[in-house]
Amino acid sequence: MHIKGRKVRYAVSAVAVAGVAALALSACTTTGSTSTSTAAQGGTVTVAVVNDLTSLNSQTPQGNLDTNGQVGYLDGSYGSGFQYINDKFQIVHDDKFGTFEKTSDSPLTVKYTLNKADKWSDGQPITADDMVLGWAMQSGYYDSSTLDQNTGKVLKGTQYFTPAAGTAGIDQTSYPEVSDDNLSITLKYAKPYVDWELFNPMAQPSHIVAKKAGLSSAADLTKLLKGLPKGDKTNPAPIDPTLKKAADFVNTGYDITAYPTDKDLVVSSGAFYVSGWTPGQSITMSKNKYYAGGMKPNVDKIVFRIIPDANAQVTALQNGEVDIINPQASADTLTALKATSAKVLTGDQVSYDHLDLNFGSKVFADAKVREAFLKTIPRQQILDSIVTPVNPKAEILNSQIWLPSQSDYKASVEQNGSDKYSKVDIEGAKALLAGATPTIRILYNTNNPNRVDEFGAIQASAAKAGFKIVDAGSPDWSTLLPGGNYDASLFGWISPGAGTSQIPQLFTTGGGGNYNRYNAKNDVAVQTQTTIDKGELVKLEQQIDKATFSDGYGLPLFQLPGVFGVNARVDGAKYMGNQTGPFWNFWEWSVKSSKK
């Protein structure tokens, strides 16, 4: 899941436009060609986005941002390769890039085979070495770390890679079996894994990571990985300096503040690579001439224009400065869009805005203070000012697991205790505080009008109960989120709309998306990854949903509506409510004129 504002071993993401999402959505599977050979070829499509680029690896806690993930979707480092999610939330296999199949149920065994024509954008072949590294990055196989139950920090042992999606499920695999031709790997699971079909072993290029670790080749890195023992928390082995160097590069080496002079950082396995970036203005992605997969684009370039303001996005679309926009939906935005000649696409997003309390904060160590603060949150007022003008049928979101359109939502709401916060209760909050006047620092995105409005409404309401609300908002909120130097945060989650890997990511100690240091004191979230029975899985998810309200985790606010604006120059764009947004079918785009 991505911070919205997502490899498909999808991470959720936090983003400035919207934000977890349908954690419990299931997905069907389809196969088929993704090519559109009859479409016009060439040209550039320019897309307005809210957030700027911060990292070329969106699969780390600090890089888990919507724009980073969308760039990663185009360059193959996130959400594309062996499969992708379509607009019906089905898993689609890209058999032209490579095939994967379950060869056994007991034990669960899955084989991945690359197309021998696959190459990285620097011309180097894509091999099983790359998949072994991708598996190592996502499985936690070599970790021997014991984490602090409150902060998630390592107390002893070693944690090598830090995937935002966590390791639950993939941590049940043994070292991969590699084929003699170095094009296939086979994974065996010790326990069933509900989302096995969403795991994608492709990530960063092994030959680049090996180079940064001081090794001569990808084969040398694979040899190192094969020779190292599985991590043992009870008897941690000494840290391996070469693997640590490789992991440190993957964890932080792709975080950037300017277009990298080191071209190794932009090597891509996907249809595009990042060919330029002017921070605060635009990101340019150019076609990877070596790409052999099924998501072959018709256009030569895709340009991201960073435009945080929704009205400015509409103006840019009207003026022909951009071709596609995905602004925050509001009544004003829709009215302005409908006044243009652009095609308007609308629908729900598998995303929601939420308020999280930081369990690492001293002020919220007291459960009564948490409950008192949550009693002051004017959720209906926030909904009415932001969402109702766009969707009159919208309602307050009362689950951390399901969205209102999902079949299990109502039953969970009836048992999860969310009714405690159904209305603002200032007197109840005062009684819990017993005269105390706690200071609460709230982090949010000051460039996001919705978050500014949410903060203002919360500040005014909480003050009536005696809280002193400090504005800790920042345009750099996404980089501040993992640090925990705040008491509460306002942001959004947006998910792929398929699978359940988001649950342990958010609700386990040390989870890659557990920014608020929540400690559920059990492994229910991890159990969801190995529970195949649908009824039992729903029961576990209901337990988590109930625990979040009982523990004062925070409050979900509302599901976000979505809107795209597409000018007549571009064909092929379709609405998508997940974290890939309008980019989900980029290979189907074409332009009627290639003048740009």
Side-chain angles (χ1 to χ4, degrees):
M1 199 171 280
H2 277 119
I3 300 170
K4 189 167 180 176
R6 71 261 22 298
K7 203 167 124 177
V8 214
R9 166 154 162 84
Y10 285 103
V12 294
S13 42
V15 248
V17 190
V20 147
L23 296 179
L25 281 180
S26 60
C28 303
T29 301
T30 68
T31 58
S33 173
T34 54
S35 64
T36 53
S37 58
T38 60
Q41 302 295 303
T44 298
V45 174
T46 302
V47 185
V49 297
V50 171
N51 291 305
D52 203 353
L53 185 69
T54 65
S55 180
L56 295 171
N57 181 4
S58 67
Q59 298 308 291
T60 63
Q62 77 280 4
N64 187 25
L65 189 69
D66 61 339
T67 299
N68 298 340
Q70 289 164 344
V71 167
Y73 185 69
L74 297 176
D75 73 15
S77 64
Y78 166 79
S80 59
F82 284 92
Q83 72 284 80
Y84 65 92
I85 304 295
N86 70 9
D87 56 343
K88 295 180 177 60
F89 302 112
Q90 297 171 315
I91 303 168
V92 182
H93 291 206
D94 180 5
D95 291 343
K96 290 186 177 179
F97 182 86
T99 61
F100 67 107
E101 60 177 337
K102 181 170 64 173
T103 59
S104 172
D105 282 311
S106 182
L108 173 61
T109 307
V110 184
K111 183 177 182 179
Y112 298 82
T113 301
L114 293 160
N115 175 351
K116 63 182 179 180
D118 290 332
K119 291 183 179 180
W120 294 96
S121 60
D122 61 359
Q124 292 296 308
I126 297 174
T127 69
D129 295 316
D130 299 298
M131 294 192 288
V132 170
L133 174 61
W135 163 82
M137 290 165 53
Q138 298 172 72
S139 66
Y141 182 84
Y142 301 98
D143 291 349
S144 59
S145 55
T146 299
L147 303 180
D148 184 286
Q149 291 297 300
N150 295 312
T151 66
K153 293 183 178 179
V154 176
L155 295 177
K156 66 175 183 177
T158 304
Q159 182 180 31
Y160 288 102
F161 300 99
T162 56
T167 62
I170 306 302
D171 62 357
Q172 297 299 316
T173 54
S174 53
Y175 187 86
E177 176 186 328
V178 179
S179 64
D180 291 340
D181 63 4
N182 207 32
L183 290 176
S184 298
I185 66 168
T186 300
L187 293 179
K188 290 186 179 181
Y189 292 77
K191 294 181 180 179
Y193 178 38
V194 65
D195 288 340
W196 69 267
E197 200 172 1
L198 283 168
F199 175 68
N200 188 339
M202 289 300 301
Q204 275 63 47
S206 182
H207 67 286
I208 298 298
V209 176
K211 177 181 175 182
K212 303 305 181 185
L215 297 171
S216 298
S217 67
D220 287 340
L221 179 54
T222 300
K223 183 178 179 181
L224 171 71
L225 294 172
K226 187 175 183 179
L228 292 176
K230 179 177 173 60
D232 183 356
K233 291 184 179 182
T234 61
N235 185 27
I239 190 169
D240 183 87
T242 305
L243 180 56
K244 185 64 167 61
K245 195 172 182 179
D248 287 348
F249 170 70
V250 169
N251 294 339
T252 63
Y254 285 91
D255 299 344
I256 54 175
T257 57
Y259 186 74
T261 55
D262 181 358
K263 296 303 186 289
D264 286 347
L265 297 184
V266 298
V267 173
S268 158
S269 66
F272 289 89
Y273 69 95
V274 178
S275 56
W277 177 39
T278 303
Q281 296 183 33
S282 65
I283 308 157
T284 301
M285 303 200 70
S286 297
K287 189 184 294 187
N288 171 12
K289 65 181 180 181
Y290 293 108
Y291 177 68
M295 301 161 75
K296 274 193 174 175
N298 301 307
V299 300
D300 294 328
K301 290 184 179 181
I302 293 177
V303 175
F304 292 57
R305 276 283 307 278
I306 295 92
I307 306 177
D309 183 76
N311 291 330
Q313 285 198 16
V314 175
T315 300
L317 183 70
Q318 191 169 21
N319 293 342
E321 298 169 28
V322 300
D323 301 305
I324 301 174
I325 65 173
N326 179 22
Q328 283 199 322
S330 70
D332 290 343
T333 301
L334 280 174
T335 299
L337 259 179
K338 289 176 180 178
T340 71
S341 60
K343 185 176 183 179
V344 180
L345 308 175
T346 60
D348 287 331
Q349 294 192 63
V350 283
S351 62
Y352 69 85
D353 268 28
H354 52 100
L355 170 75
D356 293 352
L357 306 190
N358 183 359
F359 282 67
S361 162
K362 290 182 180 179
V363 69
F364 284 137
D366 187 337
K368 288 185 177 180
V369 177
R370 295 199 299 271
E371 182 179 348
F373 182 58
L374 296 180
K375 283 181 176 293
T376 71
I377 308 304
R379 294 196 292 161
Q380 188 66 51
Q381 176 189 336
I382 291 171
L383 180 80
D384 290 343
S385 66
I386 295 175
V387 183
T388 304
V390 182
N391 179 9
K393 296 182 180 180
E395 57 187 80
I396 292 172
L397 183 61
N398 281 314
S399 173
Q400 296 279 11
I401 302 294
W402 287 280
L403 296 174
S405 60
Q406 295 178 286
S407 59
D408 295 307
Y409 175 80
K410 184 178 179 181
S412 190
V413 170
E414 289 175 351
Q415 61 87 44
N416 67 13
S418 58
D419 55 345
K420 181 189 295 186
Y421 305 110
S422 59
K423 295 181 180 179
V424 172
D425 182 6
I426 299 300
E427 294 307 313
K430 286 182 177 179
L432 287 165
L433 292 177
T437 57
T439 297
I440 310 295
R441 299 164 300 153
I442 302 180
L443 175 69
Y444 66 97
N445 183 4
T446 53
N447 285 338
N448 185 318
N450 282 3
R451 303 286 148 64
V452 173
D453 290 347
E454 291 166 12
F455 171 78
I458 292 170
Q459 184 180 47
S461 181
K464 296 175 183 178
F467 286 100
K468 297 177 181 178
I469 305 300
V470 175
D471 187 338
S474 169
D476 300 318
W477 68 281
S478 65
T479 58
L480 298 173
L481 191 61
N485 189 26
Y486 51 85
D487 303 306
S489 56
L490 282 165
F491 63 103
W493 284 120
I494 186 163
S495 92
T500 62
S501 65
Q502 305 94 323
I503 294 177
Q505 181 185 348
L506 303 181
F507 302 117
T508 57
T509 300
N514 187 358
Y515 299 116
N516 58 330
R517 278 85 169 152
Y518 177 62
N519 177 16
K521 300 182 179 65
N522 57 47
D523 63 350
V524 174
V526 175
Q527 290 178 43
T528 63
Q529 302 306 284
T530 56
T531 302
I532 304 299
D533 182 88
K534 177 64 164 66
E536 292 302 312
L537 179 60
V538 169
K539 289 179 182 179
L540 293 175
E541 291 165 337
Q542 286 183 344
Q543 286 183 46
I544 297 167
D545 207 15
K546 185 174 183 177
T548 58
F549 286 98
S550 175
D551 295 340
Y553 175 92
L555 288 176
L557 300 176
F558 54 79
Q559 181 180 7
L560 284 118
V563 59
F564 298 172
V566 185
N567 71 25
R569 181 176 165 273
V570 175
D571 284 331
K574 299 176 184 178
Y575 183 78
M576 173 55 130
N578 83 351
Q579 57 201 31
T580 53
F583 298 97
W584 80 269
N585 69 333
F586 64 84
W587 60 92
E588 294 182 336
W589 297 353
S590 62
V591 294
K592 295 176 182 177
S593 168
S594 59
K595 63 183 180 180
K596 287 183 102 177

